[in-house]
Amino acid sequence: MNRRHCATAAITLVCALALLTSTGQASAAPVPEPSPSSSSSSAPAGTPQRYSNADLEKVREQIETLYRKAGAATDAYNLAEEQTKKQSGEIVKLAKAIVDGQARIAALKDRAGAQAREQYRNGGLPPGAQLALSNDPKLFLDGINKVRQGQQASKSLLAELNQTQQDLETYTQDASANWEKLEADRVKQAKAKKKINAQIKAAEKLESRLEKKERDRLRQLEQDAANEAQTAWLSSGAVKDVSGEASEAGAAAVAFATAQIGKPYVWGAEGPGSYDCSGLTSQAWLAAKRPIPRTSQEQWRLLPRIDIQDMRPGDLIIYHGDASHVGMYVGDGAIVHSPRPGRNVTLAGAGSMKILGVVRPDK
């Protein structure tokens, strides 16, 4: 490797960080067509479609599926964004190390050059060598010691120079590897963003076909489905013996999360004006001075798991088989969560969605 290019490489790495925020645009996927009721077959062109209760339930299921997929893609986006930030920080550190290493090598070479020039001025003899040729025993011994010291200093200088050069090569290799990871994460980010936009646009297109009364009925169907699932969960005895009290940190996390009620869901948001599901839970625990992973999938993967019967306020309930949603348990069989686009942070039944498991950030 030509070490003269190291400084240039460092500058290139730092400047390239300006590209990190660029992501691709995405268009919505094809929208599944619901089946309109027979009463709308004779409606004039341009009239909003009318849906029977059965058809509206199908629309609800389609919208729920689309938002579920958007939630999973949001987790992928958030994880890629976190990894991008981490790699960016590593590259900045390595770039600084490369520049510092280059300066260190230059300084060591200057010292070596100074030693060579001094020997030249002494007729090619190192410092102390002339004294070692003296007939005076004291001067002879002093000369021998200075020769040895000079030799040791030269060896130390060469060793330091070699080590610094090796470190510089390692920094450059690490920076290159981190840049490759950064680019891979950026690509993942762009793909996830495209999927999110496609799913949300498809869901919004379905809902936009409904009249206001039908949208109100759709909301009621959503609530009815959630209530039915919550009732079944409570009837199963899942929380019969749940009586744990919040820890001090858990109480602080609950206080933060419930204070956000009414703020809108926005994918990728971490507050203060809006949140996605894991943005809410991660910021709540950060407020409790217990940083946790950013995404629901990483929260499920990395945080200690506990049994439902051992739940206490502040614990996180992870939902769906892909761990794509998370809410914070607040007691009495309820959670606070940020549901999906078009909805606000709210309280809901902890069993209103399919539970994957429970994790405890401060275990």
Side-chain angles (χ1 to χ4, degrees):
M1 176 184 298
N2 189 339
R3 298 183 183 88
R4 291 181 298 176
H5 295 303
C6 291
T8 303
I11 295 170
T12 301
L13 289 170
V14 174
C15 293
L17 296 177
L19 300 176
L20 299 180
T21 56
S22 60
T23 53
Q25 299 298 315
S27 57
V31 180
E33 292 290 337
S35 302
S37 64
S38 57
S39 61
S40 65
S41 58
S42 58
T47 301
Q49 292 188 25
R50 302 291 184 139
Y51 293 85
S52 67
N53 284 339
D55 287 333
L56 201 57
E57 176 61 22
K58 290 180 181 178
V59 171
R60 184 195 71 78
E61 291 174 355
Q62 287 174 314
I63 290 175
E64 181 179 315
T65 298
L66 288 167
Y67 280 127
R68 279 269 315 277
K69 291 180 178 178
T74 297
D75 240 30
Y77 175 89
N78 289 335
L79 181 58
E81 185 178 52
E82 287 298 295
Q83 291 171 338
T84 295
K85 290 178 182 177
K86 182 179 179 181
Q87 296 301 333
S88 298
E90 289 298 318
I91 287 175
V92 170
K93 290 178 183 177
L94 289 167
K96 185 178 183 302
I98 289 171
V99 173
D100 290 345
Q102 192 72 22
R104 181 66 177 160
I105 287 174
L108 290 171
K109 285 182 176 180
D110 284 345
R111 282 174 55 190
Q115 288 184 0
R117 288 191 295 273
E118 184 176 356
Q119 285 190 23
Y120 177 78
R121 286 194 298 269
N122 292 330
L125 295 175
Q130 291 179 346
L131 293 176
L133 298 177
S134 173
N135 293 324
D136 186 328
K138 186 177 183 303
L139 292 177
F140 174 80
L141 292 176
D142 287 345
I144 291 297
N145 288 333
K146 288 184 178 180
V147 168
R148 287 175 178 171
Q149 291 172 2
Q151 290 174 338
Q152 187 60 41
S154 295
K155 288 181 181 179
S156 298
L157 180 60
L158 289 174
E160 188 175 358
L161 180 59
N162 288 334
Q163 184 60 54
T164 303
Q165 289 173 332
Q166 290 174 11
D167 290 344
L168 187 59
E169 290 177 2
T170 300
Y171 295 149
T172 304
Q173 291 169 1
D174 289 347
S176 178
N178 277 315
W179 179 255
E180 290 177 2
K181 291 179 183 178
L182 182 66
E183 283 297 288
D185 289 335
R186 189 190 66 77
V187 170
K188 289 180 184 177
Q189 220 175 332
K191 288 181 178 179
K193 183 175 182 179
K194 185 176 181 179
K195 288 182 180 179
I196 294 165
N197 286 334
Q199 304 296 348
I200 291 177
K201 286 180 181 178
E204 289 174 343
K205 184 175 181 180
L206 273 175
E207 199 163 354
S208 70
R209 295 178 177 181
L210 305 176
E211 291 184 327
K212 183 181 182 305
K213 289 183 179 179
E214 290 171 329
R215 288 196 294 273
D216 292 340
R217 284 167 56 206
L218 181 66
R219 254 184 199 271
Q220 188 58 52
L221 286 173
E222 289 177 356
Q223 189 60 52
D224 290 346
N227 291 341
E228 183 179 348
Q230 175 73 354
T231 300
W233 184 65
L234 293 175
S235 300
S236 71
V239 291
K240 180 180 178 182
D241 299 321
V242 174
S243 58
E245 295 184 1
S247 64
E248 183 178 351
V254 169
F256 179 94
T258 52
Q260 313 313 310
I261 290 175
K263 294 182 180 181
Y265 176 104
V266 173
W267 69 265
E270 300 177 84
S274 57
Y275 297 87
D276 63 19
C277 66
S278 57
L280 176 65
T281 55
S282 61
Q283 288 300 306
W285 273 100
L286 183 61
K289 303 188 185 321
R290 292 293 184 94
I292 64 173
R294 168 64 177 87
T295 71
S296 59
Q297 291 176 346
E298 290 294 280
Q299 289 168 7
W300 174 243
R301 187 173 72 88
L302 298 174
L303 296 178
R305 300 179 186 181
I306 62 169
D307 293 333
I308 289 179
Q309 292 80 6
D310 298 326
M311 279 193 310
R312 67 189 188 194
D315 290 343
L316 305 181
I317 303 181
I318 309 298
Y319 292 96
H320 312 309
D322 57 0
S324 58
H325 191 70
V326 61
M328 179 178 291
Y329 186 64
V330 297
D332 297 324
I335 60 167
V336 59
H337 73 141
S338 188
R340 66 164 177 84
R343 301 291 184 261
N344 299 329
V345 176
T346 187
L347 291 173
S352 59
M353 297 167 283
K354 187 176 180 180
I355 294 175
L356 177 61
V358 182
V359 295
R360 176 166 294 166
D362 61 341
K363 184 174 180 179

